């Protein structure tokens, strides 16, 4: 026997072999349609018995295997069913002759045969025949199954007769010697009368009867015969047949222990009637005696206890039988099939290691020279058996050997498709899956070197199949999953092969479906490059949308009234971890930063890299990059434009590497860090771009609030100078600019600033709104720097307090000067300890202009944008006031303000006040100027306790008062400076220079005194009168204080000033009073007046002065002396009329 049946199992020993073959020309489809119906009748119950007959059908069976039918009866073809087409009566004789010729092939062993004829009708078909069945067509053949059952019953009759004939003990009859084909020549010339020969004949016949009993459904009887056969054959050392008897004993025991079968097929045998074969054998059959004379109705317990092998003994007997088979070179097929049967039994017993020993033995069994197809079948069956016992890697090994055998060099037409299919079946054995997601679940499973070899073979097989898309998919998978195990040279080879393949068929993200229905998932190349971190970037500060402030009621519904809610925190925890707290804007370019690195030993070119998003229509703007070999983390920014509003989720990115297009999802990337992937897209907003008339600044301003300033400009001014800043507003977006708000914030806090640094009028700009896309509007900002003009250096100290008296005469020379040596070089950066009043100190003022603007759909949704302009003003000193003092003027309502002015510039400078001429100062020169000013009636601050509480303390209240007074004085003075060579001008402020004493001198006293001569005020000019004419003198008091004052007593004392420091008070002969020289004033209430009258008579011509003195009493002592400032009265007496 040369052709092994790898599908053999132990229960096949109880089956009858029936061959089903076509006669003549029958289509394959029609043949297998009937063959399947015949195979459906695989077991029948014997009439009037509980025995069951099992049938094994084959459509092809080698005739040489039939010669071993006496050795094991289940190998003997006992039935033949033929199928033929015959459409006319003329063809019938020839068809029937072919049927007889087919029977002759298996004629020596056939019990019975049948011929199914399809298509023949008429007289021939109507003749009743037992061995032929006629059917009109393949569709009209309902009785096929019934005919097959009748055929099997006829087989049983013959089988039963043979069993009874062989099982009956016929004393004196000579038992024939049963032989296998290769033994016949060995027994020629043997002594047939010897005891040894007779025992051999009896032992073989007992074994043969046991086979017949097993086929006839008599399990217990077969066990008895097998045991007797083993004893007889062992005694004569007939090892080949002893092995067959032991195998028969094992098969019967397996059938008893495992009624479900050992083949592992879903259609396992089931005994009809729910009874076991062993129990069926207990039924009494008249005339049926066992070989030892025991009647058939004997208790089955005896057979079970003594005859049936235990599960452990079954394997031992199989080993013994196989060892006997191995002694015979011509029994290799029998030995191989016995190993396969034992493995199937051990698989049910879950004894994998023992089964692997049997399989290992089967591998080394040397058969005749096998064909390539037989080799493929052998390795495939070995693979299935190893899979059956759980040796997956061993199974995959033999499956791969079978695959390689399909394309062996000796085959004229290699079967690459079969090779590829078998290679795919080896993948699970090597812990290899074609789904790349399985490689993201932790540590690598399996032997990487073997897996890479297998993947290379899949690539080559798919390429030889003529399927480049499949080859690209496997190459991509190899590069993606085995990258960590590839050497540098292997990486280069694989990528070159991949590029060569993708030049013909680019790699895609589509599923590839194979003809057998297997689908290959897409393989995104997430490791080329490897992404470690993904971060969604906020828009630039100038483009970030900000929510407008709304009423509290509009937000109440969106916030929980509870401080903490565990339900909300639990349900929305994942959403919080992915949602980002900033917004993107519809229509604006948005950015996502990826930190990537190149693991390849060569430069990696990534083309068409863009974002994958969902939730919002998104236009991705692809990028291309080139990463150096084995680069470190490298930042890559991917951009895109959201076209609609809503919530957008960044799911991943897409790339094209080596011709393979990949969609890489963040969820499938191992070890990636992300701060969130979901962001809200708000409606479109306009975009404002600003440009100015000033140059850009090299200094960057950083506001304390953290706002980013997009544009920085700078300007250089002298202290007190003003300049206009023209800002051009251009709408570079796609939405109209409808709303604009401008605010400013001064960043410099250490410098004292007087007045408004920045001022503007927004109405003119808003008149140009709405500003359509592409349109331009202008906005003007007035810059005015007014820092402290005081200086600590007293340059004219030697000129002060020099004894000049201006008590009674006008100040004739208001200007006194001194020249300070010019400073040849000023330090660019003043030292740290320089004083604020240092003439060489350049100060800097910094401020930020905030533009809040909105428009379009974003404005309707309540969003706006902010744009900041940083302004740095470098302030150079212009003039300094080194000292300020006052001198009284001739009028009580005026005084002289003395200012020491220093020119700190390097150019000639002029200074002028509103009521004085220009004063020219050379560079580094200091001069004193006197300005005659009217005294001020300062408005008093509120004194109520409630309003006083607005200030921290009385000191702060006093400072506020002083600042207000300084502002009023400065506005009246109007001091300005001008540099003619530069054509630059500015203001010089005295705010912050005036101390309390100077302020008191400049303030009108609360008690205002007026002296009238003949009804005319006498303050500055001399009053004229005639000698001998009495003149009326009136002293009037106006009470501006909040309290009642008086009464007062005043004495008028006339004198003459000789202009040499001598005053003559002895004028009794020149001036006479009409009445008393003492005046009395009644008490004056707040905001009221009081007056007293008198008269004088001048007897001589000349210039006279009247000095009015107060009488010291308790009332006048309570008030400060500055309240009693009376004007000097100058009277000029002229010649009287003739």
């Amino acid at each position: 026997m040369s052709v092994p049946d790898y599908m053999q199992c132990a229960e096949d020993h109880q089956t009858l072999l029936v061959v089903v073959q076509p006669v003549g020309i029958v289509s394959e489809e029609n043949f297998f349609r009937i063959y399947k119906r015949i195979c459906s009748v695989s077991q029948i119950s014997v009439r009037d018995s509980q025995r069951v007959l099992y049938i094994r059908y084959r459509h092809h069976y080698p005739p040489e295997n039939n010669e071993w039918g006496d050795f094991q009866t289940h190998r003997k073809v006992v039935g033949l069913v033929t199928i033929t087409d015959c459409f006319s009566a003329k063809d019938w004789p020839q068809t029937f002759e072919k049927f007889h010729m087919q029977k002759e092939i298996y004629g020596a062993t056939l019990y019975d045969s049948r011929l199914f004829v399809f298509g023949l009708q008429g007289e021939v078909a109507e003749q009743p025949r037992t061995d032929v069945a006629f059917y009109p067509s393949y569709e009209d053949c309902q009785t096929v199954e019934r005919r097959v059952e009748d055929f099997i019953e006829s087989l049983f009759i013959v089988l039963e007769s043979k069993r009874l004939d062989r099982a009956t003990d016929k004393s004196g009859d000579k038992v024939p010697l049963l032989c296998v084909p290769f033994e016949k020549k060995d027994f020629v010339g043997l002594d047939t009368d010897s005891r040894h020969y007779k025992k051999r004949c009896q032992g073989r016949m007992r074994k043969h009867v046991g086979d017949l009993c097993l086929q006839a459904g008599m399990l217990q009887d077969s066990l008895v015969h097998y045991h007797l056969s083993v004893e007889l054959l062992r005694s004569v050392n007939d090892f080949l047949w002893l092995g067959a008897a032991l195998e028969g004993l094992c098969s019967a025991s397996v059938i008893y222990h495992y009624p479900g079968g050992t083949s592992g097929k879903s259609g396992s045998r089931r005994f009809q009637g729910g009874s076991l074969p062993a129990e069926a054998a207990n039924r009494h059959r008249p005339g049926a005696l066992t070989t030892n004379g025991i009647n058939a109705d004997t208790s089955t317990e005896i057979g079970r206890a003594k005859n049936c092998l235990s599960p452990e003994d079954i394997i031992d007997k199989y080993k013994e039988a196989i060892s006997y088979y191995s002694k015979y070179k011509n029994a290799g097929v029998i030995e191989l099939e016995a190993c396969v049967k034992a493995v199937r039994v051990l698989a049910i017993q879950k004894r994998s290691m023992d089964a692997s020993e049997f399989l290992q033995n089967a591998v080394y069994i040397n058969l005749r020279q096998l064909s390539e197809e037989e080799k493929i079948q052998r390795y495939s069956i070995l693979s299935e058996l190893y899979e059956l016992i759980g040796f997956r890697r061993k199974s995959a090994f033999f499956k791969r050997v079978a695959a390689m055998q399909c394309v062996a060099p000796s085959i004229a037409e290699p079967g690459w498709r079969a090779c590829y299919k078998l290679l795919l079946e080896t993948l699970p054995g090597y812990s290899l899956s074609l789904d790349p997601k399985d490689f993201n679940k932790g540590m690598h499973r399996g032997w990487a070197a073997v897996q890479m070899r297998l993947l290379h073979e899949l690539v080559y097989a798919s390429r030889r199949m003529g399927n480049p898309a499949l080859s690209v998919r496997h190459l991509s998978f190899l590069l993606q999953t085995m990258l960590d195990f590839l050497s540098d040279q292997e990486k280069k080879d694989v990528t070159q092969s991949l590029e060569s393949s993708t030049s013909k068929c680019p790699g895609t993200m589509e599923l590839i479906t194979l003809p057998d229905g297997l689908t290959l998932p897409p393989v995104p190349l997430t490791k080329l490059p490897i992404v470690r971190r993904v971060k969604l970037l906020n828009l630039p500060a100038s483009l970030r949308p900000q929510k407008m402030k709304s009423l509290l009621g509009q937000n109440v519904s969106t916030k929980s009234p509870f401080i903490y809610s565990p339900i909300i925190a639990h349900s929305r925890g994942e959403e919080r971890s992915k949602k980002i707290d900033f917004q993107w804007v519809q229509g604006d370019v948005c950015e996502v930063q990826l930190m990537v690195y190149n693991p390849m030993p060569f430069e990696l070119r990534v083309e068409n890299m863009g974002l994958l998003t969902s939730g919002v229509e998104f236009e991705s703007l692809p990028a291309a990059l080139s990463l150096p070999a084995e680069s470190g983390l490298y930042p890559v920014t991917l951009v895109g434009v959201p076209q609609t509003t809503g919530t957008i989720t960044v799911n991943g990115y897409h790339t094209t590497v080596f011709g393979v297009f990949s969609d890489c999802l963040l969820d499938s990337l191992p070890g990636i860090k992300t701060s969130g992937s979901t962001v809200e897209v708000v409606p479109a907003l306009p975009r404002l771009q600003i440009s100015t008339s000033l140059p850009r600044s090299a200094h960057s301003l950083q506001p304390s609030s953290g706002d980013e300033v997009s544009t920085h400009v700078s300007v250089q001014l002298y202290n007190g100078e003003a300049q206009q800043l023209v800002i051009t507003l251009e709408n570079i977006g796609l939405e109209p600019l409808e709303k604009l708000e401008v605010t400013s914030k001064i960043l410099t806090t250490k410098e004292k600033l007087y007045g408004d640094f920045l001022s503007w009028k927004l109405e003119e700009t808003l008149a140009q709104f709405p500003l359509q896309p592409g349109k331009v509007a202008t906005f003007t900002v007035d810059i005015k720097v007014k820092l402290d003009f005081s200086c600590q250096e007293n340059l004219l100290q030697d000129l002060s307090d020099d004894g000049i008296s201006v008590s009674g005469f006008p100040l004739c020379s208001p200007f006194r000067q001194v020249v300070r040596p010019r400073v040849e070089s000023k330090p660019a950066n003043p030292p740290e300890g320089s004083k604020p009043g240092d003439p060489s100190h350049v100060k800097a003022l910094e401020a930020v202009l905030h533009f809040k603007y909105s428009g379009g759909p974003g404005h309707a949704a309540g969003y706006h944008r902010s744009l900041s302009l940083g302004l740095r003003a470098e302030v150079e000193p212009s003039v300094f006031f080194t000292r300020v003092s006052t001198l009284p003027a001739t009028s009580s309502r005026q005084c002289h303000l003395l200012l020491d002015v220093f020119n700190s510039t390097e150019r000639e400078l002029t200074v002028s006040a509103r009521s004085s001429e220009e004063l020219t100062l050379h560079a580094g020169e200091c001069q004193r100027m006197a300005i005659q000013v009217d005294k001020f009636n300062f408005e008093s601050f509120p004194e109520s306790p409630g309003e006083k509480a607005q200030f921290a303390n009385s000191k702060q209240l006093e400072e506020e008062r002083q600042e207000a007074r300084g502002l009023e004085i400065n506005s009246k003075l109007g001091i300005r400076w001008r540099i003619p060579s530069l054509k630059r001008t500015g203001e010089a402020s005295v705010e912050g220079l005036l101390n309390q004493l100077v302020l008191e001198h400049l303030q009108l006293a609360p008690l205002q005194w007026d002296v009238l001569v003949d009804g005319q005020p006498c303050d500055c000019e001399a009053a004229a009168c005639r000698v001998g004419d009495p003149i009326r003198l009136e002293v009037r008091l106006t009470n501006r204080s909040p309290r009642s004052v008086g009464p007062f007593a005043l004495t008028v004392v006339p004198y003459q000033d000789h202009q040499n420091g001598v005053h003559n008070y002895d004028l009794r002969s020149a001036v006479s009073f009409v009445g008393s020289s003492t005046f009395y004033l009644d008490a004056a209430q707040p905001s009221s007046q009081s007056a007293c009258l008198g008269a004088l008579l001048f007897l001589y011509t000349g210039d006279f002065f009247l000095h009015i003195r107060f009488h010291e009493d308790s009332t006048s002592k309570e008030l400060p002396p500055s309240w009693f400032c009376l004007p000097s009265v100058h009277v000029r007496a002229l010649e009287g009329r003739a």
Side-chain angles (χ1 to χ4, degrees):
M1 190 170 68
S2 60
V3 182
D5 182 4
Y6 295 101
M7 304 307 296
Q8 284 263 330
C9 52
E11 53 267 25
D12 285 346
H13 283 249
Q14 67 177 347
T15 62
L16 299 175
L17 179 58
V18 176
V19 175
V20 182
Q21 290 183 337
V23 173
I25 300 176
V26 179
S27 68
E28 185 176 348
E29 180 184 358
N30 291 333
F31 171 75
F32 280 102
R33 182 193 303 179
I34 302 302
Y35 178 74
K36 289 179 181 178
R37 294 182 62 181
I38 293 173
C39 292
S40 65
V41 187
S42 60
Q43 63 184 45
I44 63 171
S45 298
V46 181
R47 295 178 184 177
D48 301 328
S49 172
Q50 293 186 0
R51 286 189 283 172
V52 180
L53 246 65
Y54 296 97
I55 313 300
R56 188 168 92 257
Y57 296 97
R58 292 288 184 271
H59 58 80
H60 174 74
Y61 193 73
E64 58 267 25
N65 286 9
N66 197 34
E67 297 175 0
W68 290 70
D70 290 339
F71 183 72
Q72 289 177 328
T73 57
H74 73 281
R75 301 182 184 276
K76 183 187 298 183
V77 180
V78 298
L80 175 66
V81 178
T82 56
I83 300 170
T84 187
D85 287 340
C86 185
F87 299 101
S88 65
K90 294 181 181 180
D91 299 333
W92 168 241
Q94 185 180 2
T95 302
F96 193 70
E97 183 65 23
K98 291 180 179 179
F99 171 57
H100 279 287
M101 293 175 61
Q102 194 77 16
K103 286 198 298 182
E104 289 178 0
I105 299 176
Y106 307 102
T109 60
L110 288 180
Y111 293 171
D112 201 358
S113 60
R114 290 289 184 273
L115 172 63
F116 290 167
V117 182
F118 292 90
L120 184 62
Q121 296 180 354
E123 188 174 330
V124 176
E126 294 175 356
Q127 297 178 2
R129 300 178 65 96
T130 58
D131 59 342
V132 181
F134 295 95
Y135 296 101
S137 65
Y138 286 96
E139 289 76 19
D140 187 10
C141 54
Q142 290 82 6
T143 60
V144 168
E145 288 82 1
R146 181 58 194 162
R147 291 277 187 149
V148 174
E149 290 179 2
D150 294 341
F151 169 64
I152 294 175
E153 288 180 357
S154 68
L155 296 180
F156 173 73
I157 293 173
V158 178
L159 173 66
E160 186 68 7
S161 65
K162 288 182 176 292
R163 183 191 67 81
L164 291 174
D165 182 57
R166 300 290 176 90
T168 304
D169 187 8
K170 297 178 181 179
S171 301
D173 290 348
K174 191 173 182 180
V175 180
L177 178 65
L178 301 177
C179 300
V180 295
F182 71 87
E183 284 182 325
K184 292 179 181 180
K185 61 181 179 180
D186 297 335
F187 291 148
V188 176
L190 288 179
D191 184 6
T192 58
D193 295 329
S194 66
R195 184 179 181 88
H196 187 276
Y197 181 81
K198 289 182 180 179
K199 279 190 175 184
R200 176 177 294 192
C201 293
Q202 289 176 355
R204 293 188 177 187
M205 183 57 67
R206 290 299 180 195
K207 188 266 172 193
H208 181 67
V209 173
D211 288 347
L212 294 176
C213 290
L214 190 60
Q215 286 182 312
M218 302 176 65
L219 182 63
Q220 293 298 333
D221 288 4
S222 68
L223 287 170
V224 172
H225 285 289
Y226 285 139
H227 275 290
L228 289 174
S229 173
V230 168
E231 293 175 2
L232 290 171
L233 294 173
R234 195 185 298 274
S235 65
V236 295
N237 293 331
D238 191 356
F239 294 118
L240 180 63
W241 285 79
L242 175 59
L246 290 172
E247 186 181 355
L249 185 61
C250 291
S251 298
S253 301
V254 168
I255 293 170
Y256 174 78
H257 285 292
Y258 309 106
T262 62
S263 64
K265 299 178 181 178
S266 58
S268 59
R269 294 178 174 84
R270 297 185 181 276
F271 298 100
Q272 297 179 359
S275 59
L276 296 175
E279 297 172 347
N282 293 335
R283 182 170 180 177
H284 175 65
R285 294 183 306 282
L289 298 175
T290 60
T291 54
N292 58 3
I294 301 176
N295 208 15
D297 59 354
T298 310
S299 173
T300 60
E301 292 299 326
I302 298 175
R304 288 177 182 176
K306 295 183 179 180
N307 300 328
C308 186
L309 299 176
S310 66
E312 293 77 13
D313 291 340
I314 290 174
I315 304 305
D316 292 338
K317 298 302 180 184
Y318 262 126
K319 287 183 179 179
E320 185 180 354
I322 291 171
S323 68
Y324 293 149
Y325 289 151
S326 65
K327 298 178 181 293
Y328 299 88
K329 181 179 179 181
N330 294 325
V333 173
I334 304 297
E335 180 187 359
L336 177 62
E337 292 182 355
C339 289
V340 172
K341 296 170 191 174
V343 168
R344 296 187 187 277
V345 175
L346 286 168
I348 293 180
Q349 296 179 358
K350 301 185 183 306
R351 296 167 61 182
S352 301
M353 295 304 297
D354 293 335
S356 68
E357 294 179 5
F358 282 93
L359 275 178
Q360 193 68 26
N361 181 63
V363 170
Y364 292 110
I365 294 175
N366 187 19
L367 301 178
R368 62 172 177 81
Q369 188 67 28
L370 299 177
S371 66
E372 299 298 336
E373 292 184 359
E374 289 173 336
K375 289 179 181 179
I376 295 171
Q377 182 186 14
R378 182 181 185 183
Y379 294 135
S380 298
I381 294 299
L382 286 173
S383 171
E384 292 178 4
L385 292 174
Y386 271 114
E387 180 71 25
L388 186 65
I389 63 175
F391 281 38
R392 296 191 304 114
R393 193 163 59 233
K394 199 86 168 180
S395 170
F397 170 78
F398 282 103
K399 188 81 72 175
R400 178 179 168 275
V401 173
M404 294 297 103
Q405 201 66 44
C406 292
V407 292
S410 58
I411 299 179
E413 295 182 359
W416 287 106
R417 293 189 181 276
C419 172
Y420 180 80
K421 183 176 182 298
L422 289 173
L423 286 176
L424 285 180
E425 295 175 3
T426 65
L427 297 179
Y430 291 117
S431 301
L432 195 59
S433 165
L434 291 180
D435 189 351
K437 295 180 181 178
D438 296 337
F439 287 81
N440 296 335
K441 299 178 180 178
M443 296 181 60
H444 188 89
R445 295 180 63 246
W447 293 346
V450 178
Q451 292 171 344
M452 287 191 291
R453 176 69 179 271
L454 184 59
L455 288 174
H456 277 294
E457 292 170 350
L458 281 173
V459 170
Y460 187 75
S462 58
R463 187 178 299 161
R464 293 298 300 269
M465 285 167 52
N467 194 336
L470 202 57
S471 174
V472 169
R473 181 59 53 86
H474 289 310
L475 272 173
S476 303
F477 184 84
L478 171 63
L479 196 58
Q480 169 67 19
T481 58
M482 301 295 165
L483 185 64
D484 297 337
F485 305 100
L486 292 172
S487 65
D488 289 351
Q489 185 60 41
E490 287 173 335
K491 290 177 181 178
K492 294 179 181 179
D493 295 341
V494 172
T495 53
Q496 288 176 359
S497 178
L498 182 59
E499 286 182 312
S500 175
S501 300
T502 53
S503 63
K504 304 174 184 177
C505 179
T508 64
M509 290 296 293
E510 298 178 359
L511 287 172
I512 295 180
T513 303
L514 302 178
D516 57 356
L518 179 66
T519 58
L520 298 183
V523 182
L525 298 179
T526 59
K527 293 184 178 180
L528 299 173
I530 297 177
V531 177
R532 278 288 174 254
R533 184 164 66 248
V534 176
K535 181 180 181 181
L536 277 65
L537 301 181
N538 199 352
L539 293 174
S542 59
L543 298 180
R544 292 173 189 168
Q546 300 176 10
K547 191 70 174 176
M548 296 181 183
K549 294 183 180 179
S550 57
L551 297 177
L552 177 62
Q554 297 176 355
N555 293 331
V556 167
S557 61
T558 62
K559 294 183 179 179
S560 171
F562 301 102
I563 297 175
Y564 170 73
S565 174
I567 300 175
I568 297 176
H570 177 72
S571 64
R572 297 183 181 177
E574 184 177 357
E575 181 181 354
R576 277 202 314 270
S577 64
K578 289 191 174 183
K579 192 86 179 266
I580 304 177
D581 59 355
F582 58 76
Q583 295 88 26
W584 284 348
V585 179
Q586 173 189 357
D588 282 6
V589 175
C590 305
E591 298 178 335
V592 177
Q593 187 183 70
L594 280 65
M595 298 301 293
V596 304
Y597 73 89
N598 173 22
M600 306 300 282
F602 50 84
E603 183 182 9
L604 179 66
R605 292 186 58 82
V606 183
E607 302 173 356
N608 193 32
M609 191 172 189
L611 294 172
L612 297 175
T613 62
S614 62
V616 167
E617 183 181 345
F618 188 81
E619 178 187 359
S620 179
L621 304 178
L625 60 144
S626 179
L627 298 175
E630 297 178 348
S631 66
L633 282 179
Y634 188 84
V636 175
T637 302
L638 301 181
V639 299
V641 180
Q643 302 294 335
T644 57
T645 61
T647 300
I648 185 172
T649 301
V650 177
N651 300 318
Y653 60 94
H654 62 82
T655 60
T656 301
V657 181
F658 304 126
V660 178
F661 184 84
S662 304
D663 287 342
C664 306
L665 302 180
L666 299 183
D667 294 339
S668 62
L669 297 181
I672 191 169
K673 294 181 180 179
T674 175
S675 57
S677 59
T678 301
V679 69
E680 182 183 358
V681 179
V682 303
L685 287 165
R687 292 183 60 180
L688 180 62
Q689 177 177 288
I690 60 174
S691 57
T692 68
S693 57
L694 296 178
R696 289 184 173 270
S697 173
H699 297 80
S700 297
L701 308 184
Q702 291 297 332
S704 57
S705 60
D707 297 335
E708 295 183 14
V709 179
S710 57
T711 306
H712 303 83
V713 295
S714 63
V715 62
Q716 291 183 345
L717 300 173
Y718 285 105
N719 191 10
E721 189 177 4
Q723 184 172 336
Q724 280 193 340
L725 169 63
V726 179
I727 301 175
T728 302
L729 309 176
E730 182 180 1
N731 184 4
I732 60 173
L734 301 177
E735 302 296 333
L737 201 158
E738 302 172 4
K739 299 292 182 181
L740 177 66
E741 294 181 10
V742 183
T743 58
S744 65
K745 182 179 181 181
I746 299 177
L747 306 181
T748 307
T749 56
K750 60 182 180 180
E751 301 292 344
K752 180 66 174 176
L753 182 65
Y754 297 95
D756 293 330
F757 179 35
L758 302 176
S759 60
W760 60 85
K761 292 183 179 179
L762 195 58
E763 291 75 13
E764 297 179 0
T765 304
L766 294 179
Q768 306 174 51
F769 279 40
L771 195 63
Q772 297 300 324
K775 299 298 181 181
V776 176
T778 57
F779 174 60
T780 303
V781 177
D782 293 324
I783 306 173
K784 189 174 183 180
V785 291
K786 199 162 58 170
L787 301 178
D788 192 2
F789 283 84
S790 63
C791 181
Q792 301 297 329
E793 299 183 22
N794 194 352
L795 303 179
L796 299 183
Q797 187 172 4
D798 57 329
L799 298 181
S800 61
D801 303 327
D802 53 1
I804 299 177
S805 175
V806 290
S807 58
F809 301 95
L811 186 64
C812 299
S813 301
F815 303 123
R816 308 288 291 276
Q817 69 176 18
V818 66
V819 178
R820 183 184 184 185
R822 293 185 60 180
V823 180
E824 294 299 332
S825 61
K826 296 184 179 180
N829 295 317
E832 294 291 335
S834 59
K835 300 177 182 179
D838 189 352
S840 63
H841 185 62
V842 179
K843 301 179 176 64
L845 288 179
E846 295 179 347
V848 177
L849 275 172
H850 295 285
F851 297 86
K852 290 185 179 180
Y853 63 96
S854 183
H859 176 63
Y863 288 93
H864 68 86
R865 278 176 165 159
S866 294
L867 185 62
S868 298
L869 171 65
L871 174 64
R872 176 183 175 88
E874 295 182 355
V875 185
E876 295 186 25
S878 55
V879 296
F880 283 110
F881 298 112
T882 62
R883 181 168 181 176
V884 181
S885 61
T886 58
L887 284 177
T890 55
S891 171
S892 62
R893 294 179 179 268
Q894 293 180 331
C895 71
H896 291 282
L897 181 64
L898 303 181
L899 300 173
D900 292 352
V901 186
F902 171 65
N903 177 11
S904 62
T905 69
E906 295 184 349
R907 299 177 183 273
E908 186 179 274
L909 177 144
T910 64
V911 180
S912 64
R914 187 168 299 173
S915 59
S916 65
E917 298 178 356
E918 283 190 349
L919 174 64
T920 301
L921 297 175
H922 297 286
E925 183 181 5
C926 182
Q927 293 192 22
R928 177 172 296 168
M929 65 181 297
I931 305 173
Q932 184 172 302
V933 295
D934 295 331
K935 290 187 177 181
F936 297 88
N937 180 23
F938 298 123
E939 295 180 2
S940 59
F941 272 60
E943 297 291 340
S944 62
E947 292 175 327
K948 277 187 177 181
Q950 296 179 2
F951 303 100
N953 49 43
S954 58
K955 182 179 180 181
Q956 184 179 354
L957 176 62
E958 187 60 34
E959 289 178 356
E960 292 290 337
R961 286 180 179 177
Q962 191 164 336
E963 288 183 7
R965 292 169 182 172
L967 178 61
E968 183 177 352
I969 293 171
N970 188 68
S971 61
K972 293 288 182 63
L973 293 177
I975 304 174
R976 299 189 62 82
W977 57 263
R978 183 171 60 88
I979 304 177
S981 61
L982 299 178
K983 297 182 180 179
R984 297 172 71 168
T985 182
E987 179 183 348
S989 174
V990 296
E991 298 178 57
L993 301 174
L994 308 177
N995 54 33
Q996 186 65 33
L997 180 59
V998 173
L999 288 175
E1000 289 181 1
H1001 291 170
L1002 293 177
Q1003 182 179 7
L1004 285 172
L1007 301 183
Q1008 188 63 49
W1009 303 89
D1010 295 309
V1011 179
L1012 287 76
V1013 177
D1014 282 341
Q1016 299 296 324
C1018 184
D1019 194 1
C1020 298
E1021 301 295 332
C1025 65
R1026 300 290 177 180
V1027 175
D1029 293 339
I1031 60 172
R1032 185 178 60 173
L1033 181 65
E1034 180 181 0
V1035 179
R1036 185 180 301 168
L1037 169 63
T1038 303
N1039 184 9
R1040 298 180 181 274
S1041 69
R1043 54 183 289 186
S1044 176
V1045 295
F1048 300 105
L1050 299 88
T1051 301
V1052 179
V1053 179
Y1055 69 93
Q1056 281 186 314
D1057 187 358
H1058 296 297
Q1059 298 294 324
N1060 56 1
V1062 177
H1063 292 179
N1064 180 19
Y1065 288 92
D1066 185 14
L1067 299 177
R1068 286 178 294 180
S1069 60
V1071 180
S1072 175
F1073 284 88
V1074 180
S1076 174
S1077 61
T1078 300
F1079 298 79
Y1080 294 94
L1081 282 172
D1082 296 333
Q1085 299 299 322
S1087 301
S1088 63
Q1089 290 184 342
S1090 178
C1092 61
L1093 298 174
L1096 287 87
L1097 181 64
F1098 292 92
L1099 304 178
Y1100 295 99
T1101 61
D1103 289 326
F1104 298 91
F1105 294 89
L1106 301 180
H1107 178 56
I1108 304 174
R1109 293 185 305 182
F1110 286 87
H1111 292 193
E1112 291 187 6
D1113 54 12
S1114 59
T1115 303
S1116 61
K1117 286 182 179 180
E1118 296 176 0
L1119 302 176
S1122 60
W1123 286 31
F1124 302 98
C1125 182
L1126 274 74
S1128 177
V1129 182
H1130 182 193
V1131 181
R1132 182 169 294 149
L1134 304 176
E1135 291 289 342
R1137 296 185 182 90

